[in-house]
Amino acid sequence: MEEILRRFAQGEISIEEACKELKVESIRKLKDFARIDVNRLHRTGIPEIIFAEGKRSREVADLAVAHATARGFALISRAGEKDVEEVKKRVDEEKVDFEVDYNEVARTILVKKRGYNFEKRGKIGLIAAGTADIPVAEEARVVAEVCGCEVLTSYDVGIAGIHRLVAPLEELVNADVAAIIVVAGMEGALPSVVASLVDVPVIGVPASVGYGLGGEGRAALLSMLQSCSPGLAVVNIGNGVGAGAFAAKCVLHKNR
């Protein structure tokens, strides 16, 4: 897209030709199963993220290589070992100089051209109530970092030992973060507590951690939705991708 705009600015192509090329550039068809939105990052600040669940591993690999070739990187969520193996195999077959990083905890795969760096636009905070909530938190971290955020993390600071929250929260406030993501399972109270103590947006993420009725994240979700602390936004159960993307939008807005 930048190359098309440069050529237009230098008078090499007309506005009609530029518009036509931009339309063609924005969507790329991949075989007979996908259309890649290569300009989503420029348009919205959030790149297209490949959701691996429900896709065949070879489709995930095709998408990853196509995205990384078009824009320098590809991010895959909810990936498994078979997906990683297929992506690495495809990278070797294509003989492209890509790095493949698998975060087993977050279940994400980051494929990028060697030496590709993500521009840092600002800081966010990321808090997990318990150790069991870390996988969702890590998914949010990876997404936020790809979107240009420096992520300051504090894990295992839930309300069962509320004193553990004081120092990490003070650190985040002093760091002037644009938003704070809070992941919590069980009764999901921690996001409300954090939202009552800070003046930045707080994003609550219910985690499917707990016992019996409501233990699959429903109790945490309902608790967050019923919060009496203003300034708390809530995403769906386990939606680290959505939380990371929303926090990145907060950073973009703060920098305007």
Side-chain angles (χ1 to χ4, degrees):
M1 183 173 69
E2 292 176 357
E3 175 63 18
I4 296 170
L5 294 175
R6 183 195 64 77
R7 288 164 55 212
F8 170 68
Q10 294 182 354
E12 297 176 11
I13 56 176
S14 67
I15 188 170
E16 291 80 10
E17 290 171 325
C19 289
K20 183 177 180 180
E21 289 190 27
L22 284 170
K23 288 179 181 178
V24 173
E25 172 72 14
S26 63
I27 301 292
R28 296 185 184 179
K29 187 176 180 181
L30 179 60
K31 297 184 178 179
D32 60 349
F33 67 88
R35 285 176 170 79
I36 301 173
D37 187 359
V38 295
N39 286 332
R40 188 179 301 181
L41 178 61
H42 294 288
R43 191 174 68 249
T44 70
I46 309 297
E48 183 174 4
I49 298 170
I50 303 163
F51 186 74
E53 281 185 6
K55 294 183 178 69
R56 291 172 291 185
S57 293
R58 63 176 179 270
E59 293 173 340
V60 172
D62 283 341
L63 286 163
V65 171
H67 274 283
T69 300
R71 68 185 185 198
F73 72 93
L75 179 60
I76 305 162
S77 68
R78 301 301 169 92
E81 293 285 352
K82 188 175 180 181
D83 298 316
V84 182
E85 293 172 4
E86 191 66 32
V87 168
K88 289 181 177 179
K89 177 183 175 183
R90 189 62 48 83
V91 167
D92 289 340
E93 289 174 349
E94 296 291 332
K95 294 182 172 57
V96 286
D97 193 16
F98 290 165
E99 301 173 355
V100 180
D101 179 26
Y102 177 48
N103 185 320
E104 186 177 359
V105 177
R107 294 175 59 196
T108 58
I109 306 172
L110 178 60
V111 183
K112 64 176 184 174
K113 293 179 180 178
R114 194 169 301 279
Y116 186 97
N117 294 311
F118 297 100
E119 178 187 358
K120 289 291 184 288
R121 299 170 176 171
K123 299 177 183 178
I124 67 164
L126 174 58
I127 294 172
T131 303
D133 304 318
I134 290 177
V136 177
E138 279 292 290
E139 183 181 68
R141 180 185 65 79
V142 172
V143 170
E145 287 179 344
V146 165
C147 294
C149 300
E150 179 183 348
V151 184
L152 308 180
T153 61
S154 294
Y155 294 163
D156 196 25
V157 292
I159 66 165
I162 196 67
H163 59 286
R164 298 175 296 177
L165 180 64
V166 176
L169 203 55
E170 183 178 2
E171 178 186 353
L172 296 181
V173 171
N174 290 335
D176 194 28
V177 296
I180 301 174
I181 299 170
V182 185
V183 184
M186 305 295 276
E187 82 292 352
L190 187 60
S192 293
V193 174
V194 174
S196 73
L197 297 172
V198 298
D199 64 352
V200 297
V202 174
I203 304 139
V205 190
S208 54
V209 176
Y211 300 102
L213 183 64
E216 295 180 346
R218 293 183 181 88
L221 173 62
L222 292 174
S223 177
M224 293 179 198
L225 290 174
Q226 290 286 2
S227 175
C228 62
S229 295
L232 173 63
V234 184
V235 298
N236 210 341
I237 299 169
N239 189 6
V241 169
F246 189 87
K249 291 267 192 177
C250 293
V251 168
L252 289 173
H253 182 75
K254 184 177 181 180
N255 289 341
R256 286 178 179 171

